Every structure is written in structure tokens, then in C-alpha cells.
Amino acid sequence: MITKDAEAPTVTSAPRTVLEAFGPRRPKKRQRSWDEVPRRQIYLPLGVYLVFTLIPFYWIALFALRPAGSTSLVPWPVTFEHFDKVWTERSFGTYFQNSVLIGVATLVMTTVVALAGGYALARFDFRLKRGFMLALLCSQFVPGALLLVPLFEIFANLEMINSLGSVIIAETVFQLPLSMILIGNFIKNVPPSLEEAAWVDGCSRFRAFCVVVLPLLRPGLIAVGSFAFVHSWNHFLFALMFLSDQGKQTIPVGLNTLMSADSVDLGALAAGGIVAAVPVVIVFAFIQKWLITGFSAGAVKG
Amino acid sequence: MAQAAAVAKKPPPAKRPRRRAGAGRTGATPRRLPYLLIAPAALLMLGFIAYPVISVFYYSLQHYNPTKPWRNGFAGLDNFTRAFTEDPLFWDTLAFSAKWVFVEVGLQLLFGLALALIVNQTFAGRALGRALVFSPWAVSGVLTSVIWVLLYNSQTGITRYLADLGIGAYGTSWLSDPGTVFPAAIVADLWRGVPFFAILILADLQSVPKDLYEAAEVDGASRLRQFLHITLPHLKDAIILSTLLRMVWEFNNVDLLYTLTGGGPAGETTTLPLYVATTSVEAHDFGYASALTTVAFVVLLFCSVLYLRLSKFGGDDK
């Protein structure tokens, strides 16, 4: 019950209030009726920007769907030969599985570890807190790309080179700091009195957290989790460096292999790109409204 | 006596658990709990961020090259002197990094802000418009490269069709011409970077108190003045923070340039991190690469502190 009450206003009413802010004032006629933003001032720039956004998508779809060698600007007749080829011959089927595995494992690990740490940051005062916060912020400036060599050595010592585990750990570690700060801020926004009420009713701290706090964190968890998934799905360098076995590689590495071939098979490349894009675009379309409320509630402050 | 002692001893064990539970309720939890909670994160970060960073600092003072083991050993500041005095590539890549970050983040902020303000209005088809406009956000650096390689390709790309329309010449390849590769790469990265900014700013726009606008309107403030005096100040901290994060991110981001241009043509688009990656991976010169990394850290840290100071981040509360 509490969940619905808390979520509903942020999700549905927030955007609408802009209209309320500008709309009802019009009758005052202080200025001409254009006090409200004229439609063309919205649609014109939006349209221009949409063209810029969508042409690249159209272009890759065009190459993926039209037969090899065609120069038509319309992908008709549609062919799926490139997808067949890329999925089986270029083993994108395997890459896809690996990428999904890495993405889901990173999502779960990041969320669980960040929840624990974020809860500690939000609800406790402890001696190392300031130092820990500082470490979290500083780690934002540590470029994963520049740590490739020492990371490679660590994973080699752990005998984890060529195992998906190395990439999962590396992705999680670099997702953690920001996720933890965000989740900590989300938890701070949940009044402690709700939890305390549950304790009085006899819940343990853990149970109170699961029953009272967790449901309220849903937008935040969706934002953080999807961020972790999309990021690890997209990330390229760790997989490139730590996974040399062809059967262990991920979609971005597969794409890079296709791209750096001597004679690039543009159709296969485009089809591979679509395979890479579809899951994230679907995830993204699905969670979009959560993402905006999620970020605004957890916006990093102080 | 023994019995009495046993009786006397019994109650405490029964009491203790109860006291612990009670302690949890009043908030005075076992002191170890917060440490237990941050332990997994702390251990992961110690092992896979702190330790590598320290080893980079360590190697930066060493000659360390697995292919030339006879030279390995303590190097003092040799690696740094080499970077600052003998290696023109270092300065070139550092300068290109600065140019890349500055132009890219500046344009992303500009377009992202404009886009966020537009899709924050109410209009028919807004949900669809937002979804479409933001969609490249989720696209990876490598996929961005794939898409723009297809677009920029001299045989099959967009230039060919533009040439059909009489714009530009046939066979133009923007990515292999040193004169056009920079704008071409910038546009490709903007394509996916602008939505990121727009999303963050749009998120923050939701929290601007609406009555401020109403009050301003009653006072007869124009929309431009409302933007300058209500929206911008309110967004200030969010803009500063996302700009800073984005700057660091763009500086460190290797995926796009590595796959789109490979740092070429003729090293024209090699950023410092890209240079480090090639120095360590291809030339196996880990000692030198570590020194370059250390310089990159220091530069980033310095710029970040400077940026936060100059922008007086969070200054209103203090």
C-alpha cells in the first residue's frame, strides 16, 4: 500500500505540472497568447534532432535487411541472410549468451553489494564513513582502461583469465561506487520512522528492510540495475583483454572483430550491430519512465 | 551453592539475545553491523581498484618490459622525464585529450540542456518523442562505431548519396582524412552522448518547484528570464556534477575512438588513455605506460578540483 502511494505521484504527476505551470496563466494576457511555448518551437527542433538520431538507426537497419551488394535506400525485399550468417557462422549466438550471462551476473552482484553498502551509508554513523565516502568519490576518477595491465596480472594470478568471472568482477567493481552512492541516497529518502515502526512490531532489522524499505526503492533499483546491465553489456575493453578464447567472447568484441577484418562484410556487421542493440533498446524503452524518476530521486547531492 | 550458582548463571544467557534485539530497535545496533555491510564493497574495491592503482604507481618508477627483461629494475623518475622531455607523442595525445573532452562535453551539455527543456514541455506524442530521442543512450561505444562506420563509408555511406544530390564529392571518406576525422568522430560521439545529458537534466528539471514559475509569471517575467533566474540556478549543481563526471568519462573512454578510428589517421585522434593502452598492450612497455597513467591521474585530479573550485559547487549551502 505504502509503495503505491509513494510512487504514484512522482511517476505520473511530475511531468504534467509543467503544463499546469504555464497553461492556466494564459488568460491573463500579459503577453500575447504565445506565452505558452508555441508548438513549432517544440516540433521544429525536436524534428531536426530526431532526424539526426534516427538516420543512423535506419542506416544500420538498411544494411542488415537488404541483400548484399544492393544500393537501394529501402530495405525491400527484406532478407535475413545476414542475421543467419552472423548468428551461426560468426558465432554471435555464443557471444549473445556470454553477454547476457555477464550482464545479469553484474546486475545482481552490483545491486546486492550496493544495497548493503548503501544502507550502511544511509542509516549509520561510523568512524570510517567519511573515508569510505571519499574513496567512493575518488574511484570515479580511476579509469578502468588505464588499469588493464595490473588487472590482467591479478586475474592471471587468480587463474581467472578466460573465465567470464573476471569480466563480471571487473564490471561490478567499476559500477559499484556510483551505484552505492545512488542507492544510499534513495534509502535516505525513505523516512527512518517507517522502519522503526516495523521494529516496534517485532520485525528484525533485515526483515524490516525487506518489507518496508525495499519496495520503496523500486525506481532506484530499476535505475541502478538497468544501468549496471546496460553498461556491462556494452563494455568492450575488459572482455577484449581478459577473454581470449573465442567461445568466451562477448558481443562488442565480436563486433570489433567484424569491423577490423580486412574486407568488412557490411551486411553481417550491420546485422551483428542490430543483435547488439535490440536487448538494450528494449530494456531501455521498458524502464525509461523509471529511469527519470529514479535519477531525480537519487540525484547525487552532497 | 553449586545449584545457586547455576540458577544465578542461567538468566544472563536468556537475557542477552533479548537485549541484542532491543538494541536493534533503539538504533544502537552492534557497532560491527555497518562495517559488515560495507565489507563486500570495500574488499572488492581494495582488491580491484586500490591495489591496481598502487601497483601502477609502483611500476611507474620501474623499468618494466617483459620483452626486455635485462633492463627491468628501479628507474627513478626516468619514465617521467622521458614523457615530459623526450616524447612528443605524450604532449600530442594530452593536447588531443583536452581538445576532445572540452569540445565533446561542451556540445553535449549545450544540446542536452536544449533537448531536456524541449521534451520537458507538454505536447502531443511526448512519450514517443522522448523514447526516440533518448534511445541512443543505451547504445555502446562499439555499436556507435559500427553505425558510423557504415554511415561514413566512402562506397556505401551517406556521402555517396549526398554526392548524388550534388553535395560533396564521391569517394569522400571522413574518417581517413586528417582534416575531417575530428568533427566526424565528435558527431558520432555526440549522437550517443547528448541523450545521457538530456536524461540527467530532465530528471533534475522535475524537482524545480512549480510555484516559482507561477510567481515569476505573475511578476511578468519572460520565459527567457524564468529560465535564467529559476531553471538554471536550480539545475546548477546537477549540471556541474554531470559535466564533471562526463568529462572524466570522456577522458577515460577508449571504446569509441579505439574502434572508430583506431587513433588514426596518423595518430590524429589518439587520446592519452588510448596511447597508454597501445604502449602497454602492443609495446609491452608497462613501466612507461604506468608513468603515463600516473600523469593522467594527476591531470584528472587537478582538473576536477579546479573545476569544482571554479564552479563553487554546492557553495550555496555553506
Side-chain angles (χ1 to χ4, degrees), chain A residues 12 14-16 18 43 46, chain B residues 118-131:
Chain A
T12 50
R16 218 166 275 160
V18 175
Y43 287 119
L46 192 65
Chain B
I118 290 172
V119 295
N120 195 32
Q121 304 298 325
T122 313
F123 55 92
R126 184 175 74 168
L128 182 69
R130 277 188 183 181

Side-chain angles (χ1 to χ4, degrees), chain A residues 123-275:
Chain A
R123 287 287 192 259
F124 294 102
D125 269 318
F126 49 101
R127 207 178 318 154
L128 295 179
K129 187 171 167 180
R130 273 189 70 86
F132 188 62
M133 275 303 281
L134 197 69
L136 289 183
L137 289 175
C138 286
S139 64
Q140 292 299 303
F141 299 97
V142 177
L146 295 182
L147 296 182
L148 280 176
V149 171
L151 280 174
F152 188 91
E153 286 187 337
I154 293 173
F155 287 122
N157 287 334
L158 297 173
E159 291 181 16
M160 285 179 78
I161 293 299
N162 252 335
S163 109
L164 298 186
S166 60
V167 179
I168 294 169
I169 291 180
E171 298 293 354
T172 303
V173 163
F174 284 93
Q175 285 293 307
L176 261 184
L178 192 62
S179 305
M180 210 169 347
I181 296 175
L182 282 173
I183 288 188
N185 281 332
F186 287 124
I187 296 179
K188 257 184 222 156
N189 289 342
V190 178
S193 55
L194 290 180
E195 254 178 294
E196 280 155 16
W199 300 343
V200 171
D201 290 348
C203 283
S204 67
R205 200 177 251 279
F206 181 69
R207 220 180 109 75
F209 176 76
C210 293
V211 175
V212 178
V213 183
L214 213 49
L216 291 175
L217 293 180
R218 199 160 71 162
L221 288 182
I222 289 177
V224 168
S226 59
F227 214 70
F229 177 82
V230 168
H231 206 87
S232 70
W233 176 274
N234 285 341
H235 198 224
F236 162 67
L237 275 182
F238 290 151
L240 179 76
M241 293 295 294
F242 304 151
L243 309 170
S244 49
D245 229 10
Q246 217 222 339
K248 293 280 172 60
Q249 278 167 2
T250 60
I251 290 215
V253 181
L255 281 179
N256 182 51
T257 315
L258 284 183
M259 229 185 322
S260 47
D262 285 338
S263 65
V264 184
D265 180 346
L266 293 176
L269 182 63
I274 302 250
V275 171

Side-chain angles (χ1 to χ4, degrees), chain A residues 15 17 35 43 71 141 143 234 296, chain B residues 124 126 138 161 203 210 217 252 304:
Chain A
T17 37
D35 200 31
Y43 287 119
T71 54
F141 299 97
N234 285 341
S296 64
Chain B
R126 184 175 74 168
Y161 297 92
K210 309 295 180 275
E217 212 140 323
N252 292 332
S304 307

Side-chain angles (χ1 to χ4, degrees), chain A residues 46 49-50 53-54 57 230 280-281 284-285 287-289 291-292 295, chain B residues 111-120 123 126-139 190-203 205-206:
Chain A
L46 192 65
Y49 195 81
L50 268 180
T53 305
L54 296 182
F57 280 128
V230 168
V280 263
V281 169
F284 175 71
I287 55 145
Q288 204 213 128
K289 66 171 187 183
L291 207 61
I292 290 174
F295 274 124
Chain B
F111 287 117
L113 184 61
L115 203 58
L117 288 172
I118 290 172
V119 295
N120 195 32
F123 55 92
R126 184 175 74 168
L128 182 69
R130 277 188 183 181
L132 291 177
V133 153
F134 289 162
S135 50
W137 167 81
V139 169
L190 273 185
W191 178 73
R192 98 182 144 132
V194 168
F196 178 88
F197 251 104
I199 289 172
L200 284 179
I201 293 174
L202 181 63
L205 276 175
Q206 308 308 316

Side-chain angles (χ1 to χ4, degrees), chain B residues 72-318:
Chain B
N72 291 356
F74 185 68
L77 295 176
D78 283 5
N79 287 323
F80 293 96
T81 354
R82 180 174 152 202
F84 287 118
T85 57
E86 293 161 34
D87 188 359
L89 265 180
F90 163 75
W91 292 109
D92 288 351
T93 55
L94 189 62
F96 179 75
S97 279
K99 182 173 152 195
W100 173 262
V101 169
F102 190 73
V103 174
E104 189 61 52
V105 176
L107 290 176
Q108 281 180 19
L109 174 62
L110 197 70
F111 287 117
L113 184 61
L115 203 58
L117 288 172
I118 290 172
V119 295
N120 195 32
Q121 304 298 325
T122 313
F123 55 92
R126 184 175 74 168
L128 182 69
R130 277 188 183 181
L132 291 177
V133 153
F134 289 162
S135 50
W137 167 81
V139 169
S140 69
V142 181
L143 181 51
T144 306
S145 293
V146 168
I147 291 174
W148 289 87
V149 159
L150 291 174
L151 269 169
Y152 287 149
N153 185 298
S154 60
Q155 302 303 314
T156 56
I158 202 114
T159 45
R160 183 199 146 103
Y161 297 92
L162 286 178
D164 279 345
L165 296 173
I167 306 166
Y170 287 98
T172 316
S173 178
W174 286 330
L175 287 176
S176 50
D177 179 349
T180 51
V181 67
F182 180 69
I186 285 282
V187 168
D189 200 32
L190 273 185
W191 178 73
R192 98 182 144 132
V194 168
F196 178 88
F197 251 104
I199 289 172
L200 284 179
I201 293 174
L202 181 63
D204 228 58
L205 276 175
Q206 308 308 316
S207 63
V208 184
K210 309 295 180 275
D211 45 340
L212 284 183
Y213 291 111
E214 286 173 31
E217 212 140 323
V218 173
D219 293 344
S222 67
R223 277 200 292 121
L224 178 67
R225 295 199 49 177
Q226 289 179 21
F227 172 73
L228 289 178
H229 296 286
I230 301 175
T231 315
L232 263 193
H234 194 87
L235 291 179
K236 191 185 128 209
D237 277 4
I239 288 179
I240 291 172
L241 207 65
S242 43
T243 315
L244 180 64
L245 283 177
R246 200 61 184 173
M247 273 158 46
V248 175
W249 195 88
E250 284 292 348
F251 180 85
N252 292 332
N253 175 33
V254 178
D255 293 17
L256 182 105
L257 286 173
Y258 180 90
T259 50
L260 188 68
T261 66
E268 194 77 19
T269 56
T270 307
T271 58
L272 185 58
L274 203 53
Y275 181 48
V276 172
T278 45
T279 313
S280 55
V281 177
E282 281 160 29
H284 297 287
D285 198 344
F286 295 156
Y288 188 52
S290 298
L292 293 178
T293 306
T294 308
V295 175
F297 281 155
V298 174
V299 168
L300 270 186
L301 205 66
F302 177 76
C303 291
S304 307
V305 171
L306 189 74
Y307 179 76
L308 287 179
R309 273 283 150 77
L310 285 181
S311 57
K312 300 199 176 70
F313 176 67
D316 300 341
D317 328 319
K318 282 167 197 168

Side-chain angles (χ1 to χ4, degrees), chain A residues 79-157:
Chain A
T79 167
F80 289 99
E81 52 176 296
H82 301 304
F83 287 95
D84 275 345
K85 192 172 169 191
V86 112
W87 192 262
T88 52
E89 256 178 66
R90 309 296 191 136
S91 35
F92 265 57
T94 319
Y95 299 159
F96 193 86
Q97 275 180 13
N98 294 338
S99 280
V100 168
L101 213 92
I102 291 176
V104 171
T106 306
L107 185 161
V108 172
M109 262 179 75
T110 307
T111 320
V112 171
V113 177
L115 261 178
Y119 186 78
L121 289 177
R123 287 287 192 259
F124 294 102
D125 269 318
F126 49 101
R127 207 178 318 154
L128 295 179
K129 187 171 167 180
R130 273 189 70 86
F132 188 62
M133 275 303 281
L134 197 69
L136 289 183
L137 289 175
C138 286
S139 64
Q140 292 299 303
F141 299 97
V142 177
L146 295 182
L147 296 182
L148 280 176
V149 171
L151 280 174
F152 188 91
E153 286 187 337
I154 293 173
F155 287 122
N157 287 334

